[in-house]
Amino acid sequence: MLHAERQLQRRNTLRLRSRAAALSVIDSPADLERALAEARQSGLPVLPLGEGSNVVLAEELAAHVLLLRLRGCRWLDRRGLLRVAAGESWHPLVAWTVACGWRGLENLALIPGTVGAAPVQNIGAYGRELAPFVHAVHAVRIADGEPVSLSRAACRFGYRDSIFKHALRDRVVITAVDLQLSRDLPLEVSYPGLRDRLPAAIEAITPQAVFDAVVALRRGKLPDPLREPNAGSFFKNPVVSLEQAEDLQAACPGLPVFEAGEGRRKLAAGWLIEQAGWKGIEREGIAVHPRHALVLVNRGGDSAARVLALAAAIAESVRARFGVELEIEPRCYGSGP
Ligand SMILES: Cc1cc2nc3c(=O)[nH]c(=O)nc-3n(C[C@H](O)[C@H](O)[C@H](O)COP(=O)(O)OP(=O)(O)OC[C@H]3O[C@@H](n4cnc5c(N)ncnc54)[C@H](O)[C@@H]3O)c2cc1C
């Protein structure tokens, strides 16, 4: 239903001051149909929002915000095919599947946000991504309200990337995701730091143990948005050519470099930012976290313009020092194309 309260400050984890031109809470398919019709009539662009943990929202948003609260979860077969509605919270879903003995999502514990947003950037952490566990994504076209379903291949998943950031950007509202879980998938424990928290004997490691270790690692490392408003990693880890990575490693011993496919290497953005001297720096109430250089924290700055000004200064100094382009990970609304 169309909501009188259009303030979004409590609906984004950076706690930025923001007000939508229109806002609808979507509790049912009928709510979605109605809100899309209203948006078509008003001519406002539609902005689907989950828990607001991966967005930078401008002060005035000329958009009809849809707060996705569609709930529900059901097994489609006995072999681990699960349909989950877009408005379900991600972490409780992971906890439940692991507790039921299903494998696949354990490394993705404690990532904030909703199920519907998870395929948009193909969430990933501790050596695993969502993509291999997606069987299908169900959505509704914003233009005409027609339902569409995409197979995993059709989603064109990549590193923090999918078709929902390209050809289908601003074109669909995701309503449900079908996940294919497994009873016997080998566990992924090779990520630095994770293996040390697990039993020495590999056969003694359970999905629950991996889940618990990931939760403990994340709690120790990442600032809690409820106490220090943030949007997680603010920049993607840049992917460069093998040659550029080798040149940089020769010039900067200690630079962490990871495989990223044939002839490509991924660099640790946090390391580059820290080396450029930004860790702990605060400008106009927005700070680079003192323990985690990849995280920008709102300490009272409260505005998208201030967050983006700091991000631009960081990107400029990393470009000048290392010749590497940093790309912002959260989606920025109302502050440019
Ligand atoms: C402390 C912290 C840690 C994080 N750690 C990680 C991490 O380890 N790995 C990782 O990948 N991400 C991480 N993130 C980012 C974030 O949790 C994920 O991107 C998450 O999937 C966002 O979910 P959300 O519901 O908050 O999406 P929102 O922020 O509400 O939306 C994000 C984008 O998805 C779109 N969207 C949302 N729902 C829908 C829908 N139903 N249909 C169509 N489009 C939709 C929005 O329009 C927007 O463009 C972290 C964030 C924080 C704050």
Side-chain angles (χ1 to χ4, degrees):
M1 59 184 266
L2 198 60
H3 220 264
E5 173 61 79
R6 293 178 286 123
Q7 303 294 340
L8 297 171
Q9 192 164 22
R10 285 181 300 109
R11 302 188 194 276
N12 71 96
T13 61
L14 262 169
R15 295 288 179 266
L16 299 180
R17 255 193 330 269
S18 177
R19 191 172 60 166
L23 184 144
S24 296
V25 179
I26 308 300
D27 286 311
S28 67
D31 286 347
L32 180 56
E33 201 178 316
R34 209 172 307 124
L36 290 178
E38 278 162 8
R40 276 193 289 277
Q41 218 165 25
S42 67
L44 285 170
V46 166
L47 193 172
L49 201 62
E51 292 175 11
S53 65
N54 209 26
V55 287
V56 177
L57 302 177
E59 204 137 329
E60 293 293 337
L61 276 182
H64 189 139
V65 168
L66 307 186
L67 284 180
L68 268 297
R69 299 294 179 258
L70 299 169
R71 305 277 181 207
C73 183
R74 70 186 167 96
W75 294 105
L76 299 180
D77 67 17
R78 289 167 174 272
R79 295 191 306 276
L81 188 58
L82 182 65
R83 176 162 300 167
V84 193
E88 291 289 342
S89 274
W90 178 255
H91 175 70
L93 172 77
V94 176
W96 176 71
T97 61
V98 171
C100 293
W102 291 99
R103 294 170 172 228
L105 308 183
E106 53 280 351
N107 296 50
L108 305 177
L110 220 60
I111 298 181
T114 53
V115 167
V120 174
Q121 78 150 355
N122 180 22
I123 55 170
Y126 292 93
R128 277 260 162 93
E129 286 185 340
L130 174 73
F133 306 102
V134 171
H135 178 76
V137 173
H138 306 286
V140 162
R141 277 201 309 241
I142 288 172
D144 56 12
E146 282 301 306
V148 282
S149 292
L150 289 94
S151 66
R152 174 171 57 233
C155 291
R156 297 202 208 130
F157 289 119
Y159 166 61
R160 299 293 184 274
D161 204 19
S162 74
I163 192 166
F164 307 107
K165 288 189 169 187
H166 301 281
L168 292 185
R169 179 180 155 123
D170 299 330
R171 298 246 164 99
V172 295
V173 176
I174 294 169
T175 51
V177 180
D178 293 349
L179 296 167
Q180 180 64 67
L181 307 175
S182 159
R183 286 282 187 206
D184 49 18
L185 182 80
L187 296 169
E188 169 55 63
V189 294
S190 59
Y191 197 87
L194 185 54
R195 187 69 187 87
D196 314 339
R197 289 187 165 254
L198 293 163
I202 193 96
E203 56 287 354
I205 302 175
T206 62
Q208 187 67 53
V210 176
F211 173 92
D212 292 341
V214 168
V215 168
L217 276 167
R218 290 184 72 102
R219 288 223 165 102
K221 221 164 109 182
L222 288 171
D224 177 356
L226 290 178
R227 282 184 290 129
E228 297 180 277
N230 73 85
S233 302
F234 203 82
F235 298 97
K236 290 186 185 182
N237 287 321
V239 176
V240 300
S241 68
L242 175 60
E243 296 74 38
Q244 189 179 3
E246 282 174 351
D247 289 349
L248 279 166
Q249 260 187 322
C252 324
L255 167 67
V257 173
F258 308 94
E259 287 284 328
E262 180 86 19
R264 312 288 292 161
R265 294 291 181 271
K266 198 190 286 178
L267 311 178
W271 190 92
L272 299 171
I273 295 167
E274 187 176 345
Q275 294 300 308
W278 286 99
K279 214 173 185 180
I281 298 289
E282 180 174 333
R283 282 188 185 173
E284 296 188 295
I286 310 295
V288 180
H289 196 273
R291 280 183 289 113
H292 214 295
L294 207 44
V295 177
L296 301 191
V297 183
N298 176 11
R299 292 198 181 143
D302 287 357
S303 95
R306 290 178 177 178
V307 172
L308 294 175
L310 179 60
I314 293 170
E316 174 53 37
S317 78
V318 166
R319 188 183 304 121
R321 171 115 185 241
F322 301 104
V324 172
E325 290 296 326
L326 289 183
E327 189 188 336
I328 291 177
E329 185 185 296
R331 173 93 188 262
C332 305
Y333 285 100
S335 12

